[in-house]
Amino acid sequence: MDELQKKNQNAKKLDLALQMYDTNRYEMAKPLFEELSKDGNILSTSILGNYYHYGLDGNTDYKKALAYYRKVIAENEITDVWFELGRMYEDGLGVRKNYRKAKECFEKAVENGCVSGYVFLGKLYLFGEGVKRDEKKCYEYFLRAAEGGDVFAAYRVGCCYLNGTGVEKDINLAEEWLCSAADDGEYFDACTKLSDLYLDKKSSKYNPKLALYYAKRALELDPIEGEAFLSMFYAVGNAVEKNTEKFLEMVTRAIDNGSVNAAYLLGKSYMLGNFDLPEDMDRAEKYLTIASEREAGGWSDYYLGVLYGDTIYKRIDYRKARFYLERFINTSSVNTSLSDKGFFEIGWLYYFGEGIKKNHQKAYEYFKKGTKRGCPDCMAMYANFYDGEKGFPEKPHLTYKWYKKKYEWWQCVGVFGCFDVLCIGSRR
């Protein structure tokens, strides 16, 4: 076979492999990509990296994924590969977690036109991972991605305008971007966020009918998690008649169908006695554990940590408390400063020596991390370390600074942010 014939044959083979790949027939397409990769086809090599990175055919192998990605980069700078390599450094898959290298990879990706790279750069600046926390840069990167057509970024820009993250609060622009993500991008989280916005009685956008519309839209986009979200309307009586039995019916069905959020919601409700349900720690532990097993690092881990670490819940097991809280702060994808209460809870254990040896240095480190990420409770505890006690130098200006920042945070939190804080419980 001459070179031209082989080239034409490989082109047909690639078209066939891509057709199979695009229709989720991954196992059938893989042998073709392997043959093409051996013949030097860079795109096939890149796709094989995706196979092992995401386990597209059921076989995950991060070392192989890295090898394929690096081979592509060495031969040809394909934009998506820099982005995928950045994801692996960010998540610590096949390599030690390294946010600085992740940032370098994402920067390479955006230089070559990868819109998704802007999203992940924005996330790094939002949480101060590998870089100094910078809300303005976070907003700017999300905006670039959103303008490039990224639906998640449009949602994040809406959240930035809603919360005043890196930009002045603007309820109209928040609504505009969230509607873009929900209506044009059919993005589930944008629907639920809009629903919450329209339920805020203090907002000029208060509109229960629209809130219910977007809750039902969320149900269409994700029947399982959407039912968990819609059940809240019956639990509280928002835009529908309050019906606790209907709430329990919907949330239980969602749990049976595999919902993470429904299991978390019901477990938390029994733990705190929300929505006319009795406080029942057996049921709380049961449903929060189900949610945790389905998704590690979510809010269920936080509440399990609190359940096992606080005496008022009569489930004291400090080993479990540390396990769940550390997993929460190390793997959580929750995108609010409240998620960093995990740092506060672990810092508290070390600060008072609850179940572990008292260690003010470790407590200080956890409170400092939480403070940098915007946790108000951590700010107050962090401020305590500069009062001249506990082996740290006295710095009254820092004590004042962080108490003041905590006060400012509480001043700017909206009604739903306050609701979330109150649900956690003021135990300190």
Side-chain angles (χ1 to χ4, degrees):
M1 183 186 299
D2 61 31
E3 196 66 32
L4 181 59
Q5 285 179 316
K6 185 176 182 180
K7 186 176 180 180
N8 290 335
Q9 187 182 64
N10 282 349
K12 291 179 181 178
K13 195 181 293 183
L14 180 60
D15 286 340
L16 178 60
L18 289 172
Q19 287 176 25
M20 293 177 179
Y21 186 82
D22 291 338
T23 52
N24 300 329
R25 291 177 288 171
Y26 299 120
E27 290 184 16
M28 295 176 67
K30 188 176 181 181
L32 297 177
F33 286 129
E34 288 174 333
E35 290 177 25
L36 290 163
S37 177
K38 288 178 181 178
D39 283 341
N41 184 274
I42 295 298
L43 177 59
S44 295
T45 305
S46 171
I47 291 173
L48 285 171
N50 292 343
Y51 267 88
Y52 290 108
H53 184 174
Y54 299 104
L56 298 180
D57 62 344
N59 299 308
T60 302
D61 188 325
Y62 299 128
K63 295 292 185 183
K64 283 188 177 180
L66 281 169
Y68 279 117
Y69 288 154
R70 285 168 173 161
K71 183 178 179 182
V72 172
I73 288 170
E75 297 182 21
N76 190 332
E77 291 191 1
I78 291 183
T79 305
D80 288 347
V81 172
W82 279 111
F83 171 73
E84 299 295 353
L85 192 58
R87 291 291 307 275
M88 298 194 79
Y89 276 115
E90 182 188 39
D91 297 331
L93 302 178
V95 290
R96 182 175 295 181
K97 186 179 289 190
N98 189 322
Y99 291 119
R100 290 184 183 276
K101 285 194 174 182
K103 175 177 174 285
E104 292 172 5
C105 291
F106 293 143
E107 286 173 339
K108 281 277 190 181
V110 298
E111 284 175 10
N112 290 283
C114 177
V115 172
S116 297
Y118 286 118
V119 175
F120 282 81
L121 283 170
K123 286 173 64 180
L124 292 179
Y125 280 102
L126 176 62
F127 294 112
E129 294 170 332
V131 294
K132 184 178 180 180
R133 191 168 187 268
D134 190 324
E135 292 185 349
K136 186 177 180 181
K137 282 189 176 181
C138 156
Y139 161 75
E140 290 171 351
Y141 280 125
F142 284 146
L143 182 62
R144 288 187 190 183
E147 290 174 340
D150 189 283
V151 175
F152 172 76
Y155 162 72
R156 289 306 315 174
V157 170
C159 292
C160 286
Y161 279 116
L162 193 62
N163 302 317
T165 304
V167 67
E168 188 175 347
K169 281 188 179 182
D170 190 318
I171 195 74
N172 293 318
L173 285 174
E175 181 185 36
E176 181 181 323
W177 280 104
L178 290 171
C179 283
S180 172
D183 297 331
D184 301 331
E186 298 187 335
Y187 189 61
F188 176 87
D189 287 351
C191 291
T192 59
K193 183 66 72 175
L194 277 170
S195 186
D196 285 342
L197 172 63
Y198 293 131
L199 283 177
D200 185 354
K201 292 182 179 180
K202 292 186 178 181
S203 170
S204 61
K205 299 295 179 180
Y206 178 65
N207 189 327
K209 288 185 178 179
L210 272 178
L212 184 58
Y213 166 80
Y214 278 105
K216 290 180 176 179
R217 187 78 184 94
L219 179 64
E220 293 172 1
L221 293 173
D222 187 335
I224 296 175
E225 295 301 345
E227 183 164 40
F229 183 78
L230 186 59
S231 72
M232 287 284 293
F233 281 71
Y234 292 95
V236 180
N238 284 326
V240 295
E241 186 177 348
K242 184 176 179 179
N243 189 328
T244 302
E245 289 184 5
K246 180 74 171 176
F247 159 65
L248 284 172
E249 175 192 333
M250 293 179 70
V251 77
T252 302
R253 183 167 55 238
I255 292 170
D256 291 342
N257 288 328
S259 170
V260 175
N261 290 325
Y264 156 68
L265 172 62
L266 194 55
K268 175 184 170 184
S269 299
Y270 278 120
M271 180 176 170
L272 303 177
N274 290 340
F275 313 130
D276 297 330
L277 295 179
E279 291 186 5
D280 186 326
M281 297 311 136
D282 289 333
R283 289 179 177 176
E285 184 178 28
K286 171 187 173 181
Y287 288 114
L288 288 172
T289 301
I290 289 173
S292 176
E293 288 172 350
R294 290 176 179 175
E295 182 182 75
W299 273 110
S300 54
D301 278 357
Y302 170 79
Y303 280 98
L304 282 169
V306 174
L307 182 70
Y308 291 124
D310 196 311
T311 56
I312 66 172
Y313 298 113
K314 300 178 182 179
R315 281 289 191 282
I316 288 297
D317 187 327
Y318 291 118
R319 183 185 61 80
K320 286 185 177 180
R322 283 182 62 196
F323 169 77
Y324 284 111
L325 290 169
E326 286 179 350
R327 188 165 72 169
F328 176 69
I329 64 175
N330 289 327
T331 63
S332 177
S333 59
V334 181
N335 293 323
T336 72
S337 61
L338 292 174
S339 66
D340 297 305
K341 281 185 68 67
F343 288 102
F344 170 74
E345 297 292 345
I346 298 180
W348 185 270
L349 295 179
Y350 279 111
Y351 189 87
F352 289 100
E354 294 184 344
I356 52 178
K357 186 178 180 180
K358 185 184 292 187
N359 188 324
H360 282 159
Q361 182 60 44
K362 279 188 175 292
Y364 170 81
E365 291 168 4
Y366 279 110
F367 292 141
K368 182 178 180 180
K369 287 178 181 178
T371 294
K372 284 187 174 181
R373 292 165 64 100
C375 173
D377 287 332
C378 285
M379 292 176 191
M381 294 303 295
Y382 185 57
N384 288 338
F385 281 90
Y386 293 108
D387 60 5
E389 301 178 9
K390 308 170 196 69
F392 290 79
E394 185 175 0
K395 295 182 180 180
H397 66 288
L398 288 179
T399 300
Y400 171 78
K401 172 185 174 181
W402 291 111
Y403 273 123
K404 183 171 182 288
K405 279 189 175 291
K406 179 184 178 180
Y407 171 78
E408 290 171 348
W409 186 92
W410 276 99
Q411 288 291 94
C412 74
V413 170
V415 61
F416 288 98
C418 287
F419 177 75
D420 283 341
V421 174
L422 291 172
C423 278
I424 292 168
S426 179
R427 313 188 331 274
R428 311 308 189 193

